[in-house]
Amino acid sequence: MRKLPWPSTSLGMHLQQARNACQCTQRTLAQQAHVSPPTLRLLEHGQGNLTSFWAVLHTLNLDIVGRNLPPGPHIGERILTWRQRKGMSQRELSQFVGVSPPTLLALERHGTGHVPTLERVLVALGAGASLAPSGHTPACDVHAEHAAHPQRWDTPKEVLAPLSSVFGGFDLDPCSPTSGRTAPVRAQVYYTQDDDGLSLPGFGRVFCHPPYGRSLSRWTAKANAEVEQGNAAVVVGILPARLDTQYWHRDVAGSARVFILKGRLKLGEAEHVAPLPSCLVVWGAAEEVMTAIHTAFPEAWRSR
């Protein structure tokens, strides 16, 4: 199975920040949590076992919270509930994050395992997880533009079919109009407007077709940053060909390769074609992938 480049750990970073906030040394916290200082150092680097991780969180009166995680008595049950709501089987999720089904089963039933496994599961499910004082309830607001103007933003089949011939499928669609079998894009993981993909890390091969509204520049900045930081291997975006915008010069020119599509696309539930030409913007792809895209879209103008 292809090994995914997962985002850098955040739980360890949050743990270190919480320790610093209470002005506690590693040695002191380790003694209070009944773990060794080397174990605490591992945990603060996103490594180590979950038994030690829970002991440290209990000592600091911290818990894992997530804007998309449902309530539950322990993290395993919350992960199980959210996985089922996302329509992923235990086998699908375990294969995707690179662990065995018994490993995922142990996490969901008993909260046992290792910190990197927990981290990958939370990222793959779009949990939006962080650490907060026990009893804290995270805000669950949806991005204002999406909430005020809900709409389907389906990508036309005449674009998806050639992309499928190049990539087969994607690991993540962070701004999908729907999820599961009804989603227009073939991906392992979907984030919809309810998940707020802008707030969640990317990973692997990402397809991104954001709404062409006020949040567009945030999506291009995110796509560029995810590749630069090594979280995503490649990001393929569908954008309006607006070479006069600030985001184009900031995130596209000099950072990505561009294929301007011939004609105008009809997007989602729109009655008419888009008012502007559209383009494929590709961040991070190898030259052989760029050649394959060019072959799949022979009428598209390609940047050099």
Side-chain angles (χ1 to χ4, degrees), residues 214-231:
R214 290 173 296 173
S215 66
L216 182 55
S217 65
R218 297 176 64 198
W219 282 106
T220 59
K222 181 177 178 62
N224 190 25
E226 295 286 13
V227 171
E228 285 188 345
Q229 295 168 7
N231 295 335

Side-chain angles (χ1 to χ4, degrees), residues 86-105:
K86 299 285 285 186
M88 295 185 74
S89 70
Q90 195 175 76
R91 181 169 295 276
E92 287 173 333
L93 181 57
S94 63
Q95 288 179 343
F96 188 62
V97 300
V99 300
S100 67
T103 297
L104 181 59
L105 181 64

Side-chain angles (χ1 to χ4, degrees), residues 149-179:
H149 305 286
Q151 64 182 130
R152 289 183 62 90
W153 203 251
D154 298 11
T155 308
K157 293 181 179 179
E158 59 265 28
V159 174
L160 290 180
L163 284 178
S164 180
S165 70
V166 176
F167 294 96
F170 293 89
D171 298 307
L172 172 66
D173 180 352
C175 43
S176 178
T178 57
S179 61

Side-chain angles (χ1 to χ4, degrees), residues 13 49 97 120 270 288:
M13 177 190 68
N49 68 70
V97 300
R120 292 198 297 269
E288 57 267 26

Side-chain angles (χ1 to χ4, degrees), residues 23-82:
Q23 298 182 337
C24 190
T25 66
Q26 282 187 336
R27 181 173 295 276
T28 299
L29 178 57
Q31 290 175 343
Q32 293 174 349
H34 303 289
V35 301
S36 69
T39 294
L40 181 56
R41 283 195 291 271
L42 275 177
L43 295 175
E44 291 189 352
H45 284 87
Q47 302 297 318
N49 68 70
L50 288 175
T51 301
S52 299
F53 187 64
W54 303 138
V56 174
L57 292 194
H58 178 74
T59 301
L60 292 173
N61 193 35
L62 295 176
D63 196 5
I64 293 180
V65 298
R67 68 179 304 280
N68 295 324
L69 274 178
H74 61 82
I75 188 63
E77 184 170 313
R78 299 166 71 194
I79 288 173
L80 170 62
T81 301
W82 190 236

